Amino acid sequence: MASLVLWLMFLGNSALRDWDEGTVAQVAREIWRAPVGSMGWLYPTLGGEPYYNKPPLIHLLIAWTYSLLGVSEWTTRLPSAVLTALGVPLLYLVGRVVFNQSLPALLAALVYLTMLPVVRHGRLAMLDGTVITFFLLLLFCLLKARQNQRYALGVGICLGLITLTKGMIVVLLAGIACLFLLANRQLALLRSPYLWVGIFLGNTPAIAWYAAQWQYYGSSFLQINFQAQTFSRLVQPVEGHSGPPWYYLIELLKYGFPWLIFLPGGFYLAWKKRDTSWGCLVLIGTIVYLLTISVMRTKLPWYIMPVYPFLALAIGAKLSEIWQHQHFNRQWAVLFAVIAIAGLGGCVYFASTRQEPVLIAMSMVLAISMGIVAWLIQQRDRYFIPVLFSGMYLVLALLMSSHSWVWELNEAFAVKPVAELIRSHVSPGTKVYTSFSYGRPSLDFYCDCKVISASLPVLQQMWQSNSYLLLDQPSLKTINLTASKVLGTAEDFTLIAPHDR
């Protein structure tokens, strides 16, 4: 219940962001609009063109939600948010099995519940949170199959679900699961008929989908899906998304607090307990996954998402040790005091610049709760742990109830006013050419047109070829649009009618 509240509250209070959300929403809407019998669900499109990038499981769920509840930001994000929220109780179940006790499992689930990247990305219409939930279900089935081999059926089915959600990431996650089996000397499970029946049942739909795409589109599907969108990311930056090998360590430092304070102790404990199931799982999952994405040439912030359950298990184990044995480190009090001071600074900043009451309240809650945590640690009081969880939950709840939880929207102009301008003058499906430096899938979704970025000479030519133009003010002054008809202005963009109108 706690995870569903946090993931679903005010889910539609912010516009869809570029790139993934706008693309996923547009593909889902085209599936929903496809005539019955057109096979649009099997051969999805984006702007009327074949969509090769990812398998369509989440897009189909969103399309189904559209058919029931209409098209909105809330319905777009609902399926992935619900599925990601289910990862919290699933991590608790995994923890119960690997720890063989409930306290560290509960603490690990609460850590996962209150991790900012997990909550924020899980609420977006993206694929990563769903992949984590399916992987946690796979791990639970794998662990339970040691006592009851019927659970091995679920392992194969989860592999198929991961494949239908995000394609070839299943190879990496399956490799982590196999290494865990090897380290735990559980290779007998690989001979289980239930496992192979599950793999057959789970992967038959995924293989059938890939085969259908190849049969329908031919080699172009293989070149784009496997080469350009999958294997090319390993050896070269795709669409300019590059970074150094320590890129994801910086991501952890940026968004991992306050839980990073306990992570070194959690990893040390996992190393000491590496012969146990939980220690082995934490070390293999964290090291293999982080090492793999760090050597990849393409770097994107959400690639790190599947590592957070392993970190939560390590931190949960450390917090459990603190609760049971009251091992304290006075330096923790200093670090939490620093976070409390940062909360006060945020309160002053938001009060003087943004003047958004929710963010001011969020900063106050952060400062007060972290200050209490620092004081309790100084007093060697183990009840700092429930105070810390309560404070972080309230901080995240306040952030998600604001309009600032999708902060990437501030990187460019607001799409909704511009989309309304286009939609009021242009028929759906029309191509509109813009002077903005790149195309924005979210704008395409909201205006129901294809907005194409172009250079100034191309824009001049397109206008003379009877196309609509969306121009910023400098481009409007530069291009020669004699006797052009201005249809309207929004967000410093002007919509120009075609040459013959």
Side-chain angles (χ1 to χ4, degrees):
M1 290 299 297
S3 62
L4 283 173
V5 168
L6 191 56
W7 261 267
L8 298 182
M9 63 186 300
F10 300 98
L11 191 60
N13 68 350
S14 294
L16 301 180
R17 77 170 199 182
D18 300 312
W19 292 81
D20 292 56
E21 278 202 301
T23 300
V24 167
Q26 193 171 353
V27 172
R29 187 172 62 185
E30 292 183 23
I31 293 174
W32 169 60
R33 286 176 172 175
V36 177
S38 66
M39 303 294 283
W41 61 272
L42 182 59
Y43 306 109
T45 58
L46 175 62
E49 299 295 327
Y51 178 69
Y52 301 127
N53 196 342
K54 293 291 187 294
L57 179 59
I58 291 299
H59 311 78
L60 289 170
L61 292 176
I62 296 173
W64 178 62
T65 308
Y66 286 168
S67 68
L68 296 176
L69 303 172
V71 180
S72 66
E73 290 91 350
W74 189 81
T75 53
T76 301
R77 292 170 174 148
L78 181 62
S80 54
V82 170
L83 286 169
T84 308
L86 292 176
V88 175
L90 274 173
L91 183 62
Y92 170 74
L93 294 175
V94 170
R96 278 291 300 269
V97 179
V98 294
F99 290 119
N100 201 26
Q101 51 181 315
S102 60
L103 179 60
L106 176 62
L107 295 175
L110 290 174
V111 170
Y112 187 68
L113 170 66
T114 51
M115 283 179 159
L116 172 60
V118 175
V119 177
R120 200 177 80 91
H121 280 289
R123 285 164 55 92
L124 296 172
M126 297 177 66
L127 313 177
D128 305 87
T130 302
V131 166
I132 296 173
T133 296
F134 290 151
F135 183 55
L136 287 172
L137 182 57
L138 182 152
L139 290 176
F140 175 71
C141 292
L142 192 68
L143 292 164
K144 295 292 287 185
R146 295 182 297 185
Q147 287 79 39
N148 186 344
Q149 290 194 4
R150 290 185 179 88
Y151 279 95
L153 285 168
V155 174
I157 292 172
C158 289
L159 289 173
L161 291 172
I162 293 171
T163 306
L164 285 172
T165 302
K166 206 175 178 183
M168 291 299 104
I169 194 175
V170 71
V171 176
L172 175 57
L173 299 181
I176 291 173
C178 287
L179 287 174
F180 174 66
L181 283 179
L182 180 64
N184 261 286
R185 301 178 180 87
Q186 298 291 329
L187 292 180
L189 185 61
L190 295 177
R191 297 191 294 270
S192 170
Y194 291 102
L195 175 64
W196 293 104
V197 170
I199 290 175
F200 174 78
L201 294 176
N203 286 278
T204 295
I207 294 171
W209 183 82
Y210 277 100
Q213 308 308 302
W214 178 47
Q215 187 272 335
Y216 192 78
Y217 295 117
S219 60
S220 59
F221 170 76
L222 299 179
Q223 291 173 353
I224 295 175
N225 184 279
F226 282 97
Q227 182 176 339
Q229 292 296 332
T230 302
F231 298 112
S232 291
R233 295 173 185 264
L234 301 175
V235 297
Q236 64 186 32
V238 174
E239 298 174 352
H241 298 296
S242 61
W246 53 88
Y247 176 91
Y248 294 107
L249 296 179
I250 296 175
E251 287 295 309
L252 283 176
L253 289 173
K254 285 163 59 177
Y255 302 115
F257 284 96
W259 302 118
L260 279 185
I261 293 173
F262 305 103
L263 187 58
F267 270 124
Y268 176 69
L269 197 59
W271 177 255
K272 286 175 59 178
K273 304 285 187 179
R274 60 187 179 275
D275 56 333
T276 64
S277 292
W278 79 265
C280 179
L281 180 61
V282 166
L283 292 174
I284 289 177
T286 304
I287 294 172
V288 173
Y289 189 84
L290 268 182
L291 185 62
T292 302
I293 62 173
S294 296
V295 299
M296 286 175 57
R297 295 295 302 278
T298 300
K299 300 287 196 302
L300 287 167
W302 48 89
Y303 283 3
I304 198 176
M305 288 286 291
V307 84
Y308 286 114
F310 303 119
L311 304 186
L313 289 171
I315 295 167
K318 181 60 180 178
L319 292 175
S320 176
E321 182 191 57
I322 296 169
W323 183 268
Q324 293 174 328
H325 304 292
Q326 304 204 33
H327 294 162
F328 287 87
N329 187 333
R330 293 297 177 90
Q331 293 179 350
W332 297 341
V334 175
L335 293 173
F336 279 104
V338 171
I339 297 175
I341 294 171
L344 291 175
C347 187
V348 173
Y349 171 77
F350 291 128
S352 60
T353 58
R354 300 288 295 275
Q355 296 182 350
E356 191 172 346
V358 176
L359 295 181
I360 297 172
M362 178 195 73
S363 301
M364 292 178 62
V365 170
L366 180 66
I368 293 171
S369 59
M370 297 303 109
I372 295 174
V373 167
W375 181 78
L376 289 174
I377 292 175
Q378 188 68 25
Q379 299 299 313
R380 303 183 66 83
D381 189 336
R382 66 180 183 174
Y383 280 92
F384 83 88
I385 295 176
V387 172
L388 178 56
F389 282 125
S390 303
M392 283 304 300
Y393 189 88
L394 287 175
V395 166
L396 290 176
L398 288 168
L399 176 61
M400 299 309 149
S401 63
S402 74
H403 294 282
S404 300
W405 65 277
V406 190
W407 51 73
E408 293 88 350
L409 297 178
N410 297 323
E411 295 175 356
F413 64 89
V415 296
K416 280 192 167 182
V418 179
E420 179 61 31
L421 171 65
I422 296 173
R423 195 167 55 245
S424 61
H425 295 284
V426 181
S427 301
T430 305
K431 290 183 178 180
V432 178
Y433 293 85
T434 181
S435 58
F436 193 65
S437 56
Y438 55 86
R440 300 188 62 184
S442 61
L443 179 59
D444 294 351
F445 173 76
Y446 283 115
C447 71
D448 207 3
C449 295
K450 179 65 176 176
V451 183
I452 303 170
S453 178
S455 62
L456 296 183
V458 173
L459 291 171
Q460 180 83 50
Q461 181 182 355
M462 289 298 102
W463 180 67
Q464 293 174 348
S465 302
N466 299 324
S467 296
Y468 289 92
L469 302 186
L470 181 68
L471 305 177
D472 57 18
Q473 296 306 313
S475 301
L476 188 62
K477 295 177 182 178
T478 303
I479 301 177
N480 180 22
L481 302 176
T482 307
S484 61
K485 181 180 179 182
V486 175
L487 298 177
T489 302
E491 295 289 321
D492 296 325
F493 283 90
T494 301
L495 183 64
I496 304 298
H499 182 259
D500 64 344
R501 301 189 184 184

